[in-house]
Structure formats: structure tokens, C-alpha cells
Amino acid sequence: MINIAVLGYGTIGSGVVEALDTNQEVIKDHAGQEINVKYVLDLRDFPGSPIESKLVHDYNVIVNDPEVDIVVEVMGGTHPAYEFVKEALEKGKSVCTSNKALVAEFGPELIALAREKSLNFLFEASVGGGIPIIRPILRSLNVDTIHHITGILNGTTNFILTKMYEEGSTYEETLKEAQALGYAEADPTADVDGFDAARKIAILSSLIYGKNVDFNEITTEGIRNITDVDMKYAKALGKKIKLLGITYNIDGKIYSEVAPHMIDKKHMLYMVDDVMNGIETHGNLLGDTMFYGAGAGKLPTASAVVSDIIDEVKHLHVNIPIKWDAEPAVLEDHSTHWSKFFVRVDSECEEMKTAFKIEQLLTLEDHPDEYAIVTEEMTFAEFDAGIKGREHIRNIIQVK
Ligand code: HSE
């Protein structure tokens, strides 16, 4: 029997305890032995709950107990999660986590520490919730050179964009609905401004390049500026608007960004709607692969966390190698990225029709005071030069 401790009894922590209980037979079969939750750490009390007798408020009880072999960090945030995880590894305990903020910021250090101690620091649930993506990248796609990854990596924003597209509602109305349903936080900044997706694409990028991609260096744009009128144009173009996290490796040059994009039916991520996540990878041998599933939620995320626990039970004091060095990966300047651009303009601004080589010119019957163009593909530097000093632009969205 292996003893574990769960740090945090929120949505994911309670999901981990529930998953271990509900699927105990199948989990025991795969792990080769019983997994016992010896402690749950939380500041709150949970009278009458199944973990009442396991609840502790002091982390020292856990970290100083030699019977605990695995610590499951599902508290979220970077502090004290970082200090707790580091101390656990230093004291000979493997750690798994769902915490993308922790992994994006301290991944290389914690991976190196686990390696040095012949332990493991695993984080399958930190990207794509329940979707297996970290393990496939490390163990299955490791034959390939991954040329690019494109992902819908944030469920909250995908829910908002899907509702706006399907119901014609405004961003503000739909955000309130997402908050009422518990998808978006009271402070939705990390989701709607793209920072959550930036951390996730930084983690995936670091794993495919083996060097540290700093999420702070990824040009990040969220969905706050997407309007119901943009959605009407997207429909007229046969496209949907999706918040994409992207990383490209072209001849050793790394391009990475998070931004809303218009994508059409031919794109693998077109059908990824509501709170679902989708991740498309392209390898030089395998070609395109798509991973799809629940990117958040109690039991889907718990499923990924428990898969890490099983791996750690099977590799107790044997490090599973993860190549993610602290050496910084150099990202190409955003001005060198390329795209097609959708631009909405006031009708009086005729010159936008000739400012670029355009693929499409579009008007909507119920919005006679404006029109839109879709440009041919160009770099951001070229596009920025073309719109410099121009007024009357209502919105700009990249087009795939
Ligand atoms: N806030 C995140 C999302 C939770 O909406 O995708 C899962 O990481």
C-alpha cells in the first residue's frame, strides 16, 4: 500500500479523492498496489465529509511523515504551492500537480530537483484538464520533430465564444452567463485575457523544444474585444472565432502566441465548442494529430491527476525523464509572425480597400455604416505599416 497526501480539497482535490474511491479496483490493478489517501490538507474544515478524519491544517504533518510517498498538489496559485512542492521533493516525496501556474513558472527547477532526487514531478492535468497531452508528447510523439502545436486551451473562453457565435449574444452578457455557471471566475482576467492559455502553450512548447519558453514573453491577446458584430462577419465568412495558443518551430526559429483567430471548417479545431479543449500537433513523421476532450472540470481533471499518481507509484524512486531545461528558448519577435487579417472599418474610410492585397471584401446588410476586408497573408510588420496612422478601424482579428 502506498500513502499519498492531497494538498487542497477544492474542486480538483475532492475529485481526486472521489476518483480514487470510485475506480479503486481498476486503479489498484494498474498501480500494482492500493493507494491510500493518508492526509488531505486544507485550511477549511469539512465536518461529515469522507475525508474528515484525514484532514490536517499543518503541512509539516505531511512533509515530515516518512510514510507519505506521494504529494498531490491541487491547491492552485504559485505560493505556497511552490514552497510545499519543493519541500516535498527535498524530503524524498514525488509530486504531481494540476497547477499550470506553478508548472509554467517553476517547471524546469522542480523537474531538475525531482531528477536529482530520483523522484518524479508530473503535471498531466496542467494542460487540457483531462485530455492526455503531456504524456503523449513525452512518450509517444518523442520520435517526431514537432513542427507546431495549435490549441484551444481554455474552456471558459471557448464557452463564451461558442455562445456568442450560436446565440448572437454580446461578450458582456455571455461572460455573466459563464460566471453564473461557475466556468469563469469572479475575476475572469486569467481566462479572458489569454494568460491561462499562454501558460499552457508555454508548457507544451517547453516540452517539445526541451528549453524553457517563458509565458511572459508570449505575445498574448484575449477575447475582450470580440463583439457580436465580429461573430456575424465570421458566420458570413463560414468561419468561427477561437482563442488559439500557437507554437511553431520553423528551421529552429520559434514563434509563439495566444490570440483570437477566425478558422474555417477545414481547420481541425473548428468543431471544438463549448467548454471543450482541442490540441492539434504536427510532427515530421506522424503529420497531424488531434487531442480532444474536457479541458477542465472536477472528474476529468482528477482523472489526469490520478494517472500521474499511478505512474509515480509504478516509478517510486525511479525518475521518469522529462527534458525541459532551464535554458531559455528564444522566441522570434512578434512582428515577424505572419497571418491573414480581418479588418472592420467605417464605410467612410474607402482607402482600406486598397491598402492591402485583399482576398475578400464584405458588407453586412444590417450594418451599412461599415465594411470588412480579409487581407492576403503577410507579416505583422507589413500589416502594422499598412494600418499605421489610419483611423476608423473597428476591429482586427487574425484569420487562419
Ligand atoms: N480556467 C481554466 C479553463 C480551467 O477555463 O480552461 C482549466 O485549466
Side-chain angles (χ1 to χ4, degrees):
M1 185 178 78
I2 289 275
N3 287 305
I4 70 168
V6 177
L7 312 188
Y9 197 61
T11 306
I12 302 171
S14 59
V16 168
V17 172
E18 187 181 328
L20 286 166
D21 184 48
T22 308
N23 281 14
Q24 55 181 288
E25 288 308 319
V26 70
I27 292 168
K28 187 178 168 188
D29 274 356
H30 286 295
Q33 54 187 308
E34 193 187 326
I35 296 170
N36 174 51
V37 179
K38 184 166 183 185
Y39 301 110
V40 173
L41 179 79
D42 205 292
L43 291 173
R44 299 163 293 180
D45 288 310
F46 296 92
S49 87
I51 52 96
E52 192 179 4
S53 61
K54 301 165 190 270
L55 197 67
V56 292
H57 300 306
D58 180 3
Y59 182 56
N60 289 312
V61 175
I62 293 169
V63 83
N64 293 319
D65 183 341
E67 287 188 354
V68 173
D69 281 310
I70 296 169
V71 169
V72 181
E73 188 282 303
V74 283
M75 307 182 330
T78 41
H79 301 285
Y82 165 71
E83 288 76 15
F84 284 2
V85 167
K86 194 171 171 188
E87 194 178 356
L89 291 167
E90 278 164 351
K91 293 198 168 154
K93 302 172 196 314
S94 280
V95 176
C96 58
T97 183
S98 59
N99 185 340
K100 62 249 163 176
L102 175 77
V103 178
E105 193 159 346
F106 298 105
E109 179 190 341
L110 297 170
I111 288 166
L113 181 56
R115 190 185 306 127
E116 183 194 316
K117 299 276 182 185
S118 297
L119 297 165
N120 287 295
F121 174 68
L122 301 180
F123 42 90
E124 179 60 67
S126 65
V127 180
I131 306 173
I133 182 64
I134 307 279
R135 200 170 279 107
I137 284 179
L138 291 171
R139 303 224 196 134
S140 309
L141 302 177
N142 52 5
V143 183
D144 277 52
T145 298
I146 307 286
H147 286 309
H148 79 250
I149 297 181
T150 303
I152 293 174
L153 299 166
N154 183 267
T156 305
T157 47
N158 205 33
F159 172 83
I160 293 172
L161 293 172
T162 303
K163 284 275 169 190
M164 287 176 70
Y165 179 84
E166 286 176 354
E167 296 175 7
S169 45
T170 65
Y171 167 76
E172 289 76 15
E173 285 161 0
T174 320
L175 174 61
K176 277 193 193 125
E177 192 182 341
Q179 283 169 324
L181 287 167
Y183 296 140
E185 307 286 332
D187 175 4
T189 307
D191 290 321
V192 299
D193 289 334
F195 304 132
D196 178 78
R199 288 189 171 94
K200 290 168 176 169
I201 197 67
I203 293 170
L204 297 181
S205 306
S206 300
L207 292 173
I208 62 170
Y209 304 132
K211 295 178 189 173
N212 190 43
V213 173
D214 182 347
F215 61 91
N216 293 303
E217 289 182 11
I218 295 176
T219 301
T220 300
E221 181 190 335
I223 64 160
R224 274 186 209 267
N225 295 329
I226 303 295
T227 69
D228 47 336
V229 183
D230 297 323
M231 286 293 174
K232 287 184 187 172
Y233 280 105
K235 275 192 184 174
L237 288 162
K239 295 177 192 291
K240 291 180 181 173
I241 303 175
K242 298 289 181 190
L243 182 67
L244 301 182
I246 298 175
T247 193
Y248 277 94
N249 173 5
I250 298 177
D251 300 329
K253 290 186 172 177
I254 301 174
Y255 302 82
S256 195
E257 71 167 338
V258 172
H261 285 74
M262 287 193 182
I263 59 174
D264 65 23
K265 286 192 177 72
K266 283 180 279 174
H267 200 287
M268 289 171 91
L269 299 176
Y270 182 85
M271 294 307 293
V272 179
D273 283 332
D274 297 309
V275 287
M276 302 306 268
N277 282 192
I279 301 153
E280 177 197 349
T281 65
H282 184 90
N284 67 328
L285 305 177
L286 180 60
D288 291 331
T289 317
M290 167 132 165
F291 299 82
Y292 170 84
K298 180 176 171 174
L299 292 176
T301 308
S303 158
V305 173
V306 175
S307 76
D308 281 347
I309 298 173
I310 292 173
D311 239 0
E312 293 188 346
V313 172
K314 289 161 76 176
H315 296 89
L316 215 56
H317 304 291
V318 179
N319 179 251
I320 303 166
I322 297 177
K323 178 143 175 62
W324 176 352
D325 296 340
E327 183 191 342
V330 178
L331 302 186
E332 295 300 314
D333 191 90
H334 193 247
S335 64
T336 64
H337 288 217
W338 61 96
S339 185
K340 296 177 184 177
F341 296 89
F342 162 85
V343 189
R344 274 175 54 211
V345 198
D346 293 345
S347 320
E348 66 203 65
C349 175
E350 281 286 317
E351 68 263 29
M352 193 57 81
K353 293 177 182 169
T354 51
F356 299 101
K357 285 186 182 168
I358 61 173
E359 282 191 350
Q360 273 169 296
L361 175 66
L362 221 67
T363 51
L364 295 177
E365 250 178 44
D366 50 348
H367 292 274
D369 58 333
E370 63 172 74
Y371 68 94
I373 57 164
V374 177
T375 71
E376 289 187 352
E377 195 165 84
M378 65 189 76
T379 63
F380 271 80
E382 288 163 338
F383 179 73
D384 289 343
I387 59 164
K388 196 168 177 206
R390 290 185 199 276
E391 294 170 358
H392 312 294
I393 292 176
R394 296 192 175 182
N395 210 355
I396 297 165
I397 300 171
Q398 291 187 58
V399 180
K400 280 274 174 216

